[in-house]
Every structure is written in structure tokens, then in C-alpha cells.
């Protein structure tokens, strides 16, 4: 619910200085709380492994997207597929809690979420290159930051005990 309220305000004030910075700060603090809560239940080596994998995947996919964009590739076609995959992932999460799929279900969910948010990094980086203007840098930063944090949380679920 809070995310929908945030999206409403971002759509309305995302291009208006200083409100875009205020919204980005609130978004960052909310995600920091979520990441902190998720990391509180994990061991140090697990968190470091997930963080290192997140950095490696993010840098690799960003470099690939910039390289592919220079050669004329466009990843805009991924939008509808990512939306459908997100809906499927949400239903899988609901089924996991209703049917109590256990550790294996959590692992499958985390792997699928890691793949999905890796694709979102490519899609949003492509949008950064092709579709966003200079005035929309805060919106792009929030999109990519959300993708990276969600990738980290998914990898935390994969590498966790």
C-alpha cells in the first residue's frame, strides 16, 4: 500500500525539485529499513556473499546493456514480459504462504526473483539510455535502486540458510 502511495507522489512530483529529492530520501530510508530487517536474521558471510553477487551481477548487466545499446539493441520489448513475470511471482509468493511450500519453495521463489530483477536491471538501464531525459534522473535512480535492492534480497534468500 505504501509503495502505491509513493508511486502516486513520484508520478506527480518526480520532476519537481526539491520534492524529487525528498521522495528519493523517503524511498531510500524505507528500503534501508527493509534491508536492515532482512539482514538482521542472516549471518555475516551470507550477507557478504549476497552483496558481492549483487555487485557482480549489477555491474555485468549494466556494462552489457550499455555495450548492446551501442550496437543498436533495444530491450524495450521486455516490458510486458517483466510485468507478466512479476504477476506470476506475486502469485507464487501467495501460493507459498498458503500451501506452506517450505525451504524448497523459498529457494525457488528467490531464484526466480533474482532472475526477474536481473532482467529489470537490463530493462531499466535500457530506459535510462533511450527514454529518460536529464530532468528525470531521480526517477531513474529510484527505479534502478529498487531493482538492485530487490536483487540483493532475492540473492540473500538464495544464499541464506
Amino acid at each position: 500500500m505504501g509503495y502505491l502511495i509513493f508511486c502516486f507522489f513520484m508520478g506527480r512530483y518526480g520532476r519537481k525539485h526539491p520534492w524529487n529529492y525528498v521522495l528519493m530520501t523517503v524511498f531510500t530510508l524505507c528500503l534501508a529499513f527493509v534491508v536492515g530487517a532482512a539482514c538482521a536474521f542472516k549471518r555475516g558471510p551470507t550477507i557478504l556473499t549476497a552483496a558481492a553477487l549483487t555487485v557482480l551481477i549489477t555491474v555485468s548487466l549494466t556494462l552489457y546493456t550499455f555495450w548492446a545499446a551501442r550496437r543498436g539493441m533495444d530491450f524495450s520489448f521486455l516490458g510486458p514480459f517483466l510485468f507478466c513475470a512479476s504477476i506470476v511471482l506475486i502469485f507464487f509468493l501467495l501460493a507459498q504462504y498458503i500451501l506452506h511450500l517450505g525451504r524448497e519453495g523459498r529457494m525457488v521463489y528467490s531464484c526466480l526473483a533474482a532472475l526477474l530483477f536481473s532482467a529489470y536491471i537490463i530493462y531499466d538501464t535500457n530506459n535510462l539510455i533511450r527514454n529518460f531525459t536529464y530532468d528525470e534522473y531521480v526517477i531513474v535512480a529510484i527505479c534502478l535502486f529498487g531493482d538492485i535492492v530487490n536483487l540483493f534480497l532475492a540473492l540473500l534468500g538464495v544464499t541464506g540458510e
Side-chain angles (χ1 to χ4, degrees):
M1 182 67 169
Y3 185 73
L4 293 175
I5 294 169
F6 175 78
C7 287
F8 169 76
F9 283 114
M10 201 61 207
R12 189 164 173 92
Y13 299 108
R15 293 175 187 86
K16 294 182 177 148
H17 181 78
W19 289 108
N20 54 1
Y21 288 121
V22 171
L23 290 171
M24 186 168 67
T25 302
V26 169
F27 183 72
T28 302
L29 291 174
C30 290
L31 279 183
F33 179 74
V34 169
V35 170
C39 290
F41 299 104
K42 303 291 182 181
R43 293 180 313 142
T46 303
I47 297 168
L48 287 176
T49 303
L53 285 171
T54 302
V55 169
L56 181 69
I57 291 169
T58 302
V59 169
S60 300
L61 292 177
T62 302
L63 290 174
Y64 169 73
T65 307
F66 274 97
W67 175 82
R70 267 187 149 216
R71 287 171 175 54
M73 290 185 70
D74 186 12
F75 296 102
S76 297
F77 69 93
L78 288 176
F81 297 111
L82 292 174
F83 177 74
C84 292
S86 298
I87 298 298
V88 169
L89 198 64
I90 289 170
F91 282 125
F92 184 80
L93 182 65
L94 289 173
Q96 178 182 348
Y97 285 117
I98 293 171
L99 301 175
H100 306 291
L101 299 177
R103 185 176 183 338
E104 293 81 16
R106 285 192 305 270
M107 181 66 72
V108 169
Y109 173 80
S110 295
C111 290
L112 292 174
L115 286 172
L116 177 67
F117 288 111
S118 296
Y120 266 117
I121 289 173
I122 293 173
Y123 178 73
D124 287 338
T125 304
N126 183 70
N127 281 340
L128 165 72
I129 296 167
R130 298 189 181 279
N131 300 334
F132 286 107
T133 64
Y134 181 74
D135 293 334
E136 298 172 321
Y137 56 92
V138 173
I139 297 170
V140 174
I142 288 174
C143 288
L144 283 170
F145 183 61
D147 297 341
I148 293 167
V149 167
N150 282 315
L151 175 63
F152 171 74
L153 292 173
L155 290 173
L156 195 62
V158 171
T159 60
E161 53 277 342

